[in-house]
Amino acid sequence: MTEPLLAACGQLVGVGFDGLTAPPSLLRRIAEGRLGWVILFSRNVESPAQVARLCAALQDAAPPDRPLGIAVDQEGGRVRRLREPWPSWPAARVLGRTGDPERILGVGAAMGAELRACGFHLNLAPVLDVDTNPANPVIGDRAFAREADDVTRLAAAYAEGLAQAGVAACGKHFPGHGDTHLDSHTDLPVVEHDRDRLQRVELAPFASLASRLPAIMSAHVVFPAWDPDRPATLSPVLMQGLLREKIGFEG
């Protein structure tokens, strides 16, 4: 494989790492233009000043024509990599109960401002899953609402708030993780609904917001109505045929 092709492929790759400072090997790959983005987790976080220095070091290593993206998972509630002394933002369900898009936009903008000040470009939020299963072990209060239309309306406001602060949003978990009985971090859930139900409920927020979101995260979930053999993340039927071609996502 040629060097230009290696670099081009590398721009599609994002990585995490251990520690509070960037390893020299990581900085070298960034400098060579072989990585598109980096994600920070709790293991990389000590304080706002340390995170800002780390993000600056990562970004400074990137060549001018291949700027690096830096991402974090900061939904609020139980999913947040930046904890005290950062603000303790409420979970999506708490925000959703207000039913107030303007208030949720304000939360997104305030959260985005603090992320941007630390050097982040992408927040892996909002959750677009519909909270239809009270026994769901992994989504639950991470979802804005129990109805697809409400999720769409409120998640759109949150994403707009992030965008106003200069931080890109990422809708997740396509095509819908709200009605699973297993946690896809440790098991492989299967959602058995037929296509009509999936399109009306699970898929609806993604279909509505696809043209307004710069990124979408896939679900490690099997949907037999579309592809009985592969989870969405590995399914050309879902990722290419449904997300790209039918819904028209271009991010």
Side-chain angles (χ1 to χ4, degrees):
M1 188 177 291
T2 65
E3 191 64 31
L5 186 54
L6 276 172
C9 291
Q11 289 299 298
L12 302 176
V13 176
V15 301
F17 60 94
D18 292 326
L20 301 177
T21 59
S25 59
L26 174 61
L27 294 175
R28 184 169 60 252
R29 287 186 177 274
I30 294 170
E32 294 169 349
R34 293 195 181 188
L35 286 175
W37 60 285
V38 171
I39 181 170
L40 300 192
F41 290 97
S42 299
R43 63 178 181 257
N44 309 119
V45 173
E46 181 179 66
S47 69
Q50 171 265 330
V51 169
R53 288 194 300 270
L54 174 55
C55 288
L58 291 166
Q59 188 63 66
D60 288 347
D65 62 333
R66 292 180 183 269
L68 184 74
I70 304 175
V72 69
D73 236 336
Q74 191 75 349
E75 295 175 14
R78 57 194 163 106
V79 179
R80 49 194 176 98
R81 311 307 179 206
L82 310 176
R83 295 182 175 264
E84 292 72 18
W86 281 274
S88 181
W89 297 103
R93 176 186 287 166
V94 175
L95 295 175
R97 283 173 177 163
T98 70
D100 185 349
E102 287 301 315
R103 180 176 295 184
I104 293 172
L105 185 150
V107 170
M111 184 184 291
E114 78 175 26
L115 294 178
R116 198 72 186 94
C118 289
F120 292 104
H121 310 101
L122 172 66
N123 187 14
L124 300 180
V127 166
L128 301 186
D129 304 316
V130 183
D131 185 22
T132 58
N133 181 358
N136 192 318
V138 67
I139 303 300
D141 65 351
R142 297 168 64 191
F144 281 99
R146 296 182 180 275
E147 299 293 331
D149 288 347
D150 292 332
V151 170
T152 300
R153 180 171 56 92
L154 302 176
Y158 178 92
E160 176 59 27
L162 289 176
Q164 288 183 6
V167 173
C170 175
K172 59 189 188 186
H173 308 81
F174 174 85
H177 204 323
D179 193 11
T180 62
H181 292 275
L182 299 173
D183 181 346
S184 59
H185 293 95
T186 56
D187 293 287
L188 183 59
V190 178
V191 174
E192 298 280 3
H193 297 306
D194 61 29
R195 288 195 185 190
D196 178 66
R197 150 65 193 247
L198 291 169
Q199 289 168 347
R200 284 187 296 103
V201 180
E202 277 75 14
L203 187 63
F206 296 94
S208 296
L209 298 178
S211 63
R212 300 162 61 181
L213 291 173
I216 287 178
M217 181 189 296
S218 58
H220 308 319
V221 176
V222 176
F223 298 84
W226 282 310
D227 187 338
D229 300 318
R230 289 159 292 198
T233 300
L234 303 177
S235 171
V237 174
L238 282 157
M239 301 309 298
Q240 181 65 30
L242 183 59
L243 181 61
R244 292 289 192 193
E245 295 173 9
K246 184 173 181 179
I247 292 178
F249 177 65
E250 296 181 346

